[in-house]
């Protein structure tokens, strides 16, 4: 492992912070924390933590000895000085003299001793950092260290490799008990350079950030050298076979089984490396042994679901296999829960797998958002690789199931999980014509409520702008072309697992008197305002039926569908057909709990209703522009956000289908029966 510390780089790095009068030691702390965070072999996604001891003043100007510790929620790779919380260290150390302190009490106590109450919650490993006398303390879950620890002779190996320089700490659950254990062992030998936390990770210390960081790199390199020297056994691989299904075909089936109680996103990944990692013949039994470091359980559950569907020939057969495998997983998880639960106050988490491995295909990871699913996938990919390496020359062993359970059901971790209860969390929403005014307003509305939103549009420039803004996943798609939509759907199923809500919004408006409309223009109008909606609805319904979890189709119709306007025939007639289409879908797919509803909006300034068009339309109705826009019962202008609100409330109206909601400020002629 390369030592990335550079005096030159540090000088450059610190210049900006020095201007903002950040203390030198905290700048140093940020610099080497980022070095650690930049290597996924050391820490992944918020894993690991670092600290520095210092002196600082509180709001009354009183000086205190403090420890700056990484705040939870911060990632070492991009941490800033305000990602560290300063805690008064003297009262913290006194806590260790108590007989027993619950983890909640410890967290409250730590919070009470913060210098600035608005700083983030300090890491649960704060107390361990505080015990160490050295100024700088670094902690990682290095893969190489875990590779050494998680073997039958892990303890002996650690002692052989690190000798007396490192303290060996047997496995104890992170939190107060671990701090107590470290306190007891560290007292015996205050000159150690670091600690190996058995089947958990490594700590290094030093009086400068460079020293502590360098000790980390040196220790990990030592472990790496040992691993390299080992003779490699050849692992028996399953013969590479081409599976009969693609990830996007399997994903909606899996997602259906996953989402029986809650909604989840299902993200797929594969690569040559992954394929070779997951094709071990004994993968299932190996991975059933547990996790390589305790906090992975939050990301991966205690064991993944491992599937081999090499000989499965039809989707029907696949569905049968999956149904059975989910039942088995649920039974095994429930058993694990029952075997380890200690009191009846703890309730079981959703008993679904968080990682699903399909041999010869790749890894599916589950999360309440795409981001969470991807993080879970990263952690799983890395841990499967590390476990595979252990198996090459030894046997993977984990901590006890009871210990894994205690971390998974730790009240502090459970509290984190409960916080995320956004109404649209885990739902996938697709908006066609999504780069336009109404499309964007609708996409925003769903996103604000926690949904994953994908925008489809045929305007490449707008899509590029959206990508630059990094607001939405946006894909190019010509919705009048079935293959173009199918291609987009494949990508969506692989990335998100399927679809829950379709907002079919793409449209075109042309004006002409009936006898003057060219056949080409009328056909084009029907193509976009009617046929494209059928294409996207039919393909979406296929996915929704496969998921077997219901669904929601939302059509942007128009008040023109029931109240035609002069010289607007090509628009009105195609929208009237769209209204019929909306009802037809409601009729045919209600039995699958797929709802179909529409919005009749009117006079909303957008890409369709441009200033020029408004002028023309008001002229054709013989009224002023202002009266045209406000010409409704409520005498008020209607905006794209109002249409978005209507789509959103229809998506939440679980008992409503075949309904049309008007968003026009009130228009008796256009009102529904
Ligand atoms: Zn840790």
């Amino acid at each position: 492992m390369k030592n990335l510390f550079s005096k030159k780089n540090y000088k450059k790095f610190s210049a900006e912070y020095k201007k903002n009068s950040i203390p030198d030691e905290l700048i140093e702390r940020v610099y080497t924390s980022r070095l650690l965070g930049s290597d996924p072999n050391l820490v992944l996604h918020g894993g690991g933590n670092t600290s520095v001891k210092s002196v600082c003043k509180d709001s009354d100007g009183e000086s205190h000895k403090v420890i700056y510790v990484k705040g939870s929620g911060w990632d070492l790779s991009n941490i800033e000085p305000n990602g560290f919380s300063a805690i008064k260290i003297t009262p913290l150390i006194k806590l260790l003299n108590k007989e027993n302190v619950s983890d909640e009490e410890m967290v409250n106590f730590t919070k009470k001793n913060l210098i600035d109450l608005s700083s983030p919650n300090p890491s649960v490993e704060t107390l361990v950092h505080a015990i160490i006398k050295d100024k700088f303390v670094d902690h990682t879950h290095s893969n190489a260290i875990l590779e050494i620890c998680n073997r039958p002779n892990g303890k002996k190996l650690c002692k052989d490799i690190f000798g007396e320089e490192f303290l060996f700490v047997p496995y104890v659950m992170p939190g107060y008990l671990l701090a107590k254990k470290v306190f007891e062992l560290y007292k015996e030998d205050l000159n150690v350079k670091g600690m190996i936390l058995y089947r958990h990770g490594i700590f290094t210390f030093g009086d400068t950030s460079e020293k502590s960081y360098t000790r980390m790199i040196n220790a990990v390199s030592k472990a790496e050298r040992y691993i390299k020297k080992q003779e490699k056994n050849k692992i028996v691989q399953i013969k590479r076979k081409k599976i009969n299904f693609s990830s996007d075909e399997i994903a909606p089936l899996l997602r259906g089984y996953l989402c029986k109680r809650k909604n989840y996103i299902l993200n797929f990944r594969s690569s040559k490396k992954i394929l070779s990692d997951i094709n071990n013949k004994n993968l299932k039994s190996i991975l059933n042994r547990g996790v390589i470091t305790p906090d992975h359980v939050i990301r991966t559950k205690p064991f993944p679901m491992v599937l081999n569907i090499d000989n499965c020939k039809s989707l029907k057969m696949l569905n049968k296999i999956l149904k059975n495998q989910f039942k088995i997983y649920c039974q095994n998880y429930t058993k694990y829960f029952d075997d380890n639960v200690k009191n009846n106050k703890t309730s079981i988490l959703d008993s679904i797998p968080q990682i699903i491995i399909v041999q010869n295909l790749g890894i599916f990871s589950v999360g309440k958002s795409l981001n969470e699913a991807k993080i879970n996938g990263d952690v799983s990919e890395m841990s499967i690789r590390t476990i595979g390496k252990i198996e090459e020359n030894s046997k993977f062993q984990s901590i006890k199931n009871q210990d894994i359970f205690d971390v998974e059901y730790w009240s502090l971790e459970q509290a984190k999980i409960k916080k995320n209860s956004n109404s649209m969390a885990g739902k996938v929403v697709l908006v066609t014509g999504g780069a336009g005014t109404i499309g964007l307003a609708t996409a925003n509305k769903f996103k604000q409520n926690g949904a994953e939103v994908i925008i489809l549009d045929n305007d490449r420039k707008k899509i590029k702008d959206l990508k630059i803004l990094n607001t939405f996943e946006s894909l190019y798609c010509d919705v009048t072309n079935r293959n173009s939509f199918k291609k987009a759907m494949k990508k969506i199923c692989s990335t998100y697992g399927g679809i829950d809500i379709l907002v079919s919004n793409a449209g075109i408006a042309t004006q002409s008197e009936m006898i003057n409309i060219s056949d080409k223009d009328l056909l084009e109008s029907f193509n976009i305002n009617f046929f494209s909606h059928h294409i996207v609805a039919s393909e979406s319904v296929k996915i929704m039926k496969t998921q077997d979890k219901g669904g929601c189709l939302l059509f942007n119709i128009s008040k023109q569908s029931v109240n035609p306007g002069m010289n607007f025939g090509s628009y009105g007639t195609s929208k009237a057909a769209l209204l019929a289409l909306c009802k037809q879908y409601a009729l045919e797919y209600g039995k699958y709990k797929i709802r179909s509803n529409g919005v009749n909006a009117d006079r909303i300034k957008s890409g369709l209703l441009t200033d020029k068009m408004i002028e023309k339309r008001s002229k054709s109705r013989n009224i002023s522009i202002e009266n045209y826009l406000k010409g409704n019962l409520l005498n008020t202008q209607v905006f794209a956000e109002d249409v978005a609100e209507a789509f959103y409330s229809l998506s939440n109206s679980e008992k409503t289908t075949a309904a049309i909601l008007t968003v026009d400020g009130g228009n008796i002629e256009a009102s529904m029966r």
Side-chain angles (χ1 to χ4, degrees):
M1 181 162 282
K2 212 175 155 211
N3 189 325
L4 302 171
F5 195 96
S6 138
K7 285 216 159 61
K8 206 173 121 205
N9 287 352
Y10 174 69
K11 214 175 158 195
K12 246 185 12 212
F13 176 86
S14 60
E16 205 49 42
Y17 290 110
K18 280 190 175 161
K19 268 191 234 160
N20 295 325
S21 55
I22 307 282
D24 280 0
E25 50 221 358
L26 190 55
I27 305 175
E28 264 187 62
R29 182 62 287 173
V30 172
Y31 175 69
T32 54
S33 298
R34 287 201 194 171
L35 295 185
L36 295 173
S38 69
D39 192 335
N41 286 307
L42 289 174
V43 290
L44 263 184
H45 300 297
N49 39 60
T50 55
S51 67
V52 58
K53 296 172 189 79
S54 178
V55 174
C56 84
K57 281 186 179 153
D58 63 17
S59 53
D60 299 328
E62 201 183 322
S63 272
H64 296 274
K65 277 187 180 175
V66 296
I67 178 167
Y68 285 96
V69 185
K70 190 200 99 160
S72 75
W74 280 85
D75 203 298
L76 288 182
S77 64
N78 53 16
I79 197 156
E80 292 287 345
N82 62 353
F84 287 89
S85 312
I87 310 139
K88 294 173 205 158
I89 200 164
T90 318
L92 209 55
I93 295 288
K94 278 189 194 148
L95 200 60
L96 287 159
N97 297 326
K98 293 200 174 186
E99 196 52 43
N100 198 7
V101 175
S102 77
D103 287 325
E104 284 85 356
E105 282 172 305
M106 182 183 76
V107 169
N108 279 337
F109 189 84
T110 320
K111 273 191 201 165
K112 210 175 79 183
N113 285 293
L114 284 173
I115 291 291
D116 176 359
L117 283 174
S118 67
S119 39
N121 277 347
S123 154
V124 290
E125 277 152 351
T126 295
L127 213 43
V128 177
H129 286 259
I131 294 164
I132 310 300
K133 66 173 174 45
D134 296 68
K135 195 173 176 70
F136 290 87
V137 178
D138 295 14
H139 168 47
T140 73
H141 300 155
S142 143
N143 286 338
I145 301 294
L146 297 172
E147 234 187 284
I148 300 282
C149 283
N150 287 280
R151 311 169 179 230
N153 59 341
K155 190 174 167 183
K156 188 183 170 295
L157 278 183
C158 286
K159 289 193 168 162
D160 288 353
I161 296 170
F162 298 106
E164 300 294 303
E165 285 188 326
F166 277 68
L167 198 64
F168 179 86
V169 184
Y171 181 80
V172 179
M173 178 154 153
Y176 186 73
L177 289 179
L178 174 63
K180 272 281 229 199
K181 188 81 199 167
V182 169
F183 187 52
E184 173 198 319
L185 296 171
Y186 180 65
K187 269 194 304 201
E188 306 290 311
D189 188 357
L190 296 168
N191 296 318
V192 288
K193 291 179 182 164
M195 307 186 285
I196 303 293
L197 268 53
Y198 189 53
R199 296 186 180 175
H200 171 163
I202 172 171
F203 274 80
T204 52
F205 344 122
D207 51 7
T208 66
S209 68
E210 184 183 0
K211 208 181 251 176
S212 183
Y213 169 78
T214 302
R215 282 175 174 169
M216 176 67 72
I217 301 303
N218 290 349
V220 172
S221 303
K222 233 175 177 181
E224 283 176 343
R225 277 196 299 275
Y226 172 84
I227 294 161
K228 227 178 171 182
K229 266 199 284 178
Q230 297 281 300
E231 217 178 295
K232 299 250 174 353
N233 288 327
K234 216 163 159 52
I235 286 179
V236 191
Q237 297 274 347
I238 298 171
K239 262 203 187 133
R240 199 60 72 77
K241 239 183 169 183
K242 200 169 157 17
I243 281 195
N244 293 316
F245 315 98
S246 55
S247 58
D248 59 280
E249 281 176 301
I250 298 175
L253 273 173
L254 289 175
R255 189 162 180 260
Y257 287 109
L258 289 167
C259 298
K260 295 287 179 220
R261 278 175 57 186
K262 284 181 197 156
N263 287 299
Y264 294 101
I265 302 299
L266 180 69
N267 182 253
F268 177 75
R269 65 177 64 203
S270 193
S271 67
K272 269 191 178 160
K273 231 173 169 183
I274 289 176
L275 284 173
S276 103
D277 289 340
I278 61 170
N279 270 15
N280 186 333
K281 267 208 152 153
N282 304 315
L283 190 75
K284 197 173 183 167
S285 73
I286 295 168
L287 296 184
N288 268 344
R289 289 179 212 147
V291 290
I292 50 167
T293 183
D295 76 348
H296 279 191
V297 69
I298 306 301
R299 300 275 165 214
T300 64
K301 284 254 171 102
F303 43 86
M305 177 188 266
V306 180
L307 296 169
N308 190 298
I309 50 170
D310 289 359
N311 299 320
C312 182
K313 290 193 174 64
S314 69
L315 275 173
K316 208 175 154 194
M317 192 172 155
L318 177 63
N319 199 10
K320 229 172 131 181
I321 294 173
L322 294 183
K323 192 176 176 184
N324 192 34
Q325 288 296 319
F326 269 89
K327 202 174 136 197
I328 294 172
Y329 189 94
C330 177
Q331 283 166 353
N332 289 341
Y333 187 79
T334 311
K335 186 177 179 307
Y336 152 85
F337 177 83
D338 292 339
D339 286 349
N340 297 298
V341 70
K342 286 169 187 155
N343 58 54
N344 54 13
K345 270 189 267 162
T346 313
S347 50
I348 189 166
L349 296 169
D350 206 353
S351 53
I352 51 154
Q354 219 135 274
I355 301 295
I356 301 169
I357 300 163
V358 181
Q359 293 193 298
N360 275 323
L361 187 70
I363 301 171
F364 289 93
S365 55
V366 181
K368 282 187 211 80
S369 63
L370 180 64
N371 189 38
E372 193 182 293
K374 281 184 172 171
I375 291 177
N376 296 349
D378 286 349
V379 169
S380 163
E381 184 184 339
M382 190 65 96
S383 98
I384 293 169
R385 190 156 301 142
T386 308
I387 291 171
K389 282 168 80 185
I390 298 174
E391 285 288 315
E392 280 176 7
N393 43 54
S394 179
K395 189 178 158 90
F396 165 58
Q397 257 186 16
S398 177
I399 49 175
K400 286 192 246 96
N401 264 354
Q402 181 69 63
D403 292 327
I404 297 178
F405 179 90
D406 288 346
V407 172
E408 187 179 7
Y409 282 84
W410 199 7
S411 54
L412 302 179
E413 292 295 345
Q414 290 256 21
K416 264 192 227 163
I417 295 162
K418 274 177 197 149
K419 263 186 227 160
N420 193 349
S421 57
N422 228 327
S423 65
M424 281 275 157
K427 284 200 177 176
V428 184
V429 181
L430 186 57
V431 184
T432 73
T437 317
I438 293 177
L440 261 185
T442 308
N444 270 319
K445 179 77 195 172
F446 280 99
K447 191 176 177 163
Q448 280 157 12
N449 284 282
E452 295 296 332
V453 182
I454 304 112
I455 276 178
L456 298 187
D457 210 289
N458 67 349
D459 187 329
R460 288 190 196 270
K461 193 187 166 301
K462 275 191 185 160
I463 283 191
K464 221 175 141 198
D465 290 348
L466 284 177
K467 274 200 178 137
I468 293 164
L469 286 171
N470 208 10
T471 330
F472 294 101
E473 164 131 31
S474 36
L475 304 172
Y476 169 82
C477 179
D478 172 5
V479 283
T480 63
N481 178 325
R482 193 174 283 272
N483 281 335
S484 176
F485 185 72
K486 274 175 136 174
K487 210 172 133 193
M489 241 8 231
K490 265 178 172 287
K491 185 157 190 271
I492 291 164
C493 285
S494 253
T495 312
Y496 298 87
I499 173 179
D500 300 292
I501 297 165
L502 166 72
V503 184
S504 189
N505 167 65
I508 182 179
T510 45
Q511 294 194 79
S512 183
E513 184 187 332
M514 280 314 277
I515 56 171
N516 294 331
I517 305 172
S518 73
D519 292 347
K520 192 175 149 272
D521 281 355
L522 187 60
L523 262 176
E524 199 199 355
S525 183
F526 266 81
N527 209 12
I528 298 177
N529 293 332
F530 175 75
F531 282 110
S532 82
H533 291 262
H534 169 59
I535 288 173
V536 298
S538 57
E539 293 301 329
S540 301
V541 165
K542 284 178 198 166
I543 303 293
M544 288 173 183
K545 273 183 71 183
T546 308
Q547 291 177 147
D548 190 24
K549 66 188 283 290
C552 177
L553 306 176
L554 294 164
F555 296 96
N556 190 354
I557 309 179
S558 163
K559 76 106 209 180
Q560 295 284 335
S561 61
V562 289
N563 175 218
M566 289 296 278
N567 303 331
F568 223 11
S570 62
Y571 187 66
T573 52
S574 55
K575 288 291 190 179
L578 178 58
L579 190 144
L581 185 86
C582 171
K583 290 189 177 190
Q584 195 68 31
Y585 271 94
L587 175 70
E588 293 188 16
Y589 301 102
K591 61 185 171 215
Y592 301 106
K593 299 274 183 287
I594 297 170
R595 298 179 293 116
S596 172
N597 294 303
V599 169
N600 273 2
D602 192 24
R603 297 182 200 183
I604 287 138
K605 259 191 179 181
S606 68
L608 288 196
L609 195 61
T610 55
D611 288 344
K612 215 170 141 195
M613 177 84 88
I614 291 167
E615 201 186 317
K616 263 182 155 182
R617 294 307 306 153
S618 45
K619 229 180 226 169
S620 85
R621 296 205 178 221
N622 234 342
I623 44 176
S624 73
I625 289 176
E626 206 201 328
N627 280 345
Y628 175 76
L629 284 174
K630 282 189 173 181
N632 53 43
L633 298 176
L634 299 171
N635 198 20
T636 184
Q637 197 178 335
V638 186
F639 298 96
E641 287 71 24
D642 300 311
V643 183
E645 196 65 50
F647 279 132
Y648 183 69
S649 54
L650 279 171
S651 76
N652 277 320
S653 307
E654 296 287 343
K655 307 286 166 70
T656 300
T657 190
I660 310 296
L661 200 57
T662 52
V663 186
D664 57 4
N667 175 354
I668 280 301
E669 288 82 10
S671 62
M672 303 304 288
R673 70 178 162 84

